[in-house]
Amino acid sequence: MTTKAVHVLNGPNLDLLGVREPEIYGTTTLADIEVMCRDAAKGPLVFRQTNHEGMLVDWMHEANAEGAKAVLINAGAYTHTSIALLDAIRAIRTPVIEVHLSDPSTRETFRHLSYVGMAAKKTVQGLGAKGYIVALDAAAQLENGE
Ligand code: DQA
């Protein structure tokens, strides 16, 4: 039996991690986070970034069609605006975990609403890059039915 992958999807401006508002997001780059995730993952991992909302929707569908174990998504600012992402998460069978480096609930009020969080199984936020590893562990627990 083939092992199904965990898909880690990253949204807009996360390609600039390391130089983007380091006082909020830290100095770890997205490439560093990918290495951390690959080290921590117990099986195959798909790791992607896009600045385009529809691409994130397409990748959700793709993860579902491939029978992915789980999707971890940091949707960046689309978190707070995208009903399309909410609908995509509701439309697929794959469990989705929301992850954020910062804690949006302690920032500007426009960041307090999360469409992704309305449908995700779990949210990990405010832990910096380490949050991705915590989210991967949470995905492994979902697989075990916990
Ligand atoms: C973010 C939080 C969002 O509010 C913001 O738009 C981002 C990054 C985070 O990881 O903390 O782009 O998702």
Side-chain angles (χ1 to χ4, degrees), residues 80-102:
H80 317 298
T81 61
S82 180
I83 297 169
L85 278 177
L86 167 62
D87 285 348
I89 297 168
R90 285 186 177 162
I92 64 176
R93 291 181 312 279
T94 316
V96 174
I97 298 180
E98 175 185 30
V99 58
H100 299 286
L101 296 143
S102 68

Side-chain angles (χ1 to χ4, degrees), residues 12 14 20 25 74-77 79-80 99-102 104 107 111:
L14 294 169
R20 172 194 181 200
Y25 299 115
N74 184 348
T79 303
H80 317 298
V99 58
H100 299 286
L101 296 143
S102 68
R107 298 179 60 194
R111 293 184 204 276

